[in-house]
Amino acid sequence: AGLAADVERGARAQEEGAAAGLEAAAHKMDQSVAIQETLSAEETCLATVQGILATEEGMESRLLSLIESHGKSMLCLYTHRRMAITAEDVCLDRVLLIQEGFAVEEVPPENNLQIPGSDVTVQVTSGGASLLVRLPFGSHTQTFLREVRRRCSPGKKDATAADPEQSAAGEVTGAPRLKTANKMVPSSSVPASGPTQGLSTRPCGLRDTLVKSLLKQKESSYTHLQNFRFFVGTYNVNGQSPRGSLRPWLSQDGEPPDIYCVGFQELDLSKEAFFFNDTPKEEEWFKAVTESLHPGAKYAKGNKGGVAIRFQFHNSTVCVVNAHLAAHPEEYERRNQEVRDICARMQFHPLEPGCPLLAIKEHDVVLWLGDLNYRLEEQDMERVKKLIQTQDFQALHQHDQLKIQREAKLVFEGFQEGEISFQPTYKYNPGSDDWDDSAECRVPAWCDRILWSGKTVSLLSYQSHMALKNSDHKPVSAIFDVGVKVVDKKSYCKAFEGIVRSLDKMENASIPSVTLSKREFLFKDVKYLQLQVESFTISNGPVPCQFEFISKPNEDAYCKPWLIAKPSKGFLMPDSEVVIALELCVNKSTATALNSGEEKLEDILVLHLDRGKDYFLSVSGNYLPSCFGCPIQTLCYMKEPIREMLPEAIRELTLMPLLTDDAFWEEKPLDVPKELWMMVDLLCRSACHQEGLFQQPGLRPEFEQIRDWLDTGTLDVLGPVASNHSVAEALLLFLESLPEPVVCYKSYRSSLECANSYEMSSQVISMLPKCHQNVFHYLVAFLRELLKHTGKNHLDVNVLASIFGGLLLRPPPGHTQPGTAEKQKAQQFIQQFLCHEGGTL
């Protein structure tokens, strides 16, 4: 099911505004792509930054884009409905030509106090127009402003000619050369107050890093805690559209909160939303939330699709996580694993370049909300209902899986949850307060939860909201008072000046040097997708230093693709130390060359000290060959498990050219790889009735057993251990790891072109090498067999075609990332074969 997280951030009008830099999740999309889609071929979007524009109606979000068109430069402002992904997400607001009289100047904060990490406010003037915009702190903003300033610097003539449709104020009222047909909505001009100064582009070096580190150590001397009211809410809406006001949930208190954090689950249950990550219901619920916020204050609104966001509020960092974990009472271990995976894999890029990635728990406050799906161990429906009827929630809570798992320190260690004094939030008949009376007859449970971590958080209320009835869940909310570190300007200046004076006295002439606890690292018996970690300590001497792993001559990266150092760069105070983890993991992109022996687990890392010497680290290991990452043809010629074969034989089979027939070798190959047959055979025998097959992830320990089973041929190990879901995921990972997909790369384009013709598609398959033909027909027959049992496994043609379309039919290396249209054609190609009567297993 789709996930969506709404984060509504607001400040009361009577309170002093605070700069709060918002930092999106790791892998944030470049919004210039959406702007470029609106332009003609002769126009180029050079850079885009998101900012807050001051208007008469308040503070409104805008995208600022630097665009070059027919030799002229212009600054274009766009409204946008969310993170701009396509042209449909943006609307042109106004265009300012960069010509004589155009200026962008930074507005200094009050008392000229520059706080590291604070946002940047700029005044844009063009003729009689004046705009005030707040931009996020960071290198991206500085680069954008530097490019704009370079184009309006004295002597630049690229945009000085008057445009025929330019107004006296310097705005372009028609912008005829822009391809977009969106309606122009001019914003009100707000003059800047106070003096302005030129933009600063001072580079950040060792001294700045040291100042920031020392300021962080002295933070308690110039900050004080101030409480802000947080509203945190979660609602699994079961794919329904909003009906009626959400105020019983969002505005039940008399006091308006300072910040809203609202998360939804199951926003859209359609297959299109699941596979193509887009849904119109996002806007419906965003509008319903906006209209139901507390009327006692005005809020600036922001919407993030995903599972987590982070932001800085004054001098405190806050992370909000919205999660929808695995369903069903027996899957509590899977839910625990999913929480651990989210904590391990969710990382944020800091605004300042060169800083290490931030994990969820590396924040002052973490708010975790969502449909966590933990159920009751007590499954006697009548006993549960009796305890609910008597409101003996304390006795019922003793059977709660989340409480049991937390007390055993198996999940959410370091988090807290308020006392539960409300009845279970799941499962109701939609539109009523009656418990589920369907054939499934789910036992009530507290699926929807809110937890937190942080030393300055105080829970004020924790409740469900029975008034909202359009889902099979009830929404839940929690109100917190959160102590936020607010900077005292005078104390900050005192601390800052003291640090600068002490640094001025320091003698930095000596060369920094460090001691490494270890310089040689051996990784033994490395297996496919099995992470191995070796650590060492860097101990610094008396001089502060910056360290970084650097690439060797003629190499693009500092290490081989199967290795990563965490952190790869950093700063060390005098006499301090840091632990570096070297993580080695072989995946689909590196396994083939390691299997064949073309590459080995050998590398030299260069650890460089700024103004110091370089240290060399030796990394080596041995890789255990695996069927994962082997070509189909290679596996068909392997009669024995790959671990029992000599390295020379594996190399010869892996490197031989792809054959159109079997005449190359005297010995006849297998029709399909034995490893593929073993997995499909097991699934055919035990999983045809399995609900959620290929849609629910397996367990990592079980996948490792399956991998070893396939690589060593120890058939008796797997049977009673691995679940159907783990075998299904292993099959998907196997297909994904093939260096040449089942439908060969050279047939990719022709396959898409004939996606609407079964006869032509069959001809494409008939031209594949014999081993690839066999595998394709074998998998199609297997999927048809699953579809015979759709009444029990609930699989359908669309689901299977979507899943296997992207695995059997992959774009060749160097091809652009497939869009929605290409994905749908790949799905249609596979779907033809699933719907057509054909052979059997």
Side-chain angles (χ1 to χ4, degrees), residues 627-754:
C627 62
F628 289 84
C630 277
I632 291 176
Q633 178 176 262
T634 301
L635 295 173
C636 285
Y637 278 100
M638 286 185 180
K639 302 297 180 65
E640 302 296 329
I642 191 170
R643 295 268 189 88
E644 296 183 9
M645 299 192 64
L646 295 174
E648 296 79 11
I650 298 174
R651 179 183 178 87
E652 184 179 3
L653 289 174
T654 302
L655 297 182
M656 73 177 183
L658 193 56
L659 307 176
T660 55
D661 56 47
D662 302 332
F664 182 77
W665 284 56
E666 294 181 1
E667 187 176 2
K668 186 180 184 300
L670 301 171
D671 290 330
V672 297
K674 59 187 177 304
E675 295 82 3
L676 175 64
W677 175 84
M678 292 162 76
M679 289 185 284
V680 170
D681 179 67
L682 187 61
L683 290 172
C684 277
R685 287 188 283 108
S686 62
C688 283
H689 297 168
Q690 179 69 59
E691 185 176 352
L693 198 66
F694 298 116
Q695 300 169 80
Q696 185 169 318
L699 295 175
R700 177 49 61 97
E702 291 184 355
F703 165 75
E704 292 174 353
Q705 287 183 328
I706 297 168
R707 177 202 59 216
D708 293 344
W709 168 58
L710 297 174
D711 291 341
T712 61
T714 51
L715 181 63
D716 56 329
V717 174
L718 181 68
V721 178
S723 70
N724 292 329
H725 294 299
S726 296
V727 178
E729 183 175 23
L731 175 59
L732 298 181
L733 290 172
F734 174 82
L735 295 174
E736 185 183 40
S737 73
L738 294 173
E740 183 82 28
V742 176
V743 179
C744 299
Y745 286 133
K746 65 179 182 180
S747 301
Y748 177 74
R749 181 54 56 192
S750 57
S751 299
L752 297 185
E753 291 172 353
C754 62

Side-chain angles (χ1 to χ4, degrees), residues 133 187 204 583 597:
V133 186
S187 299
C204 178
E583 297 184 353

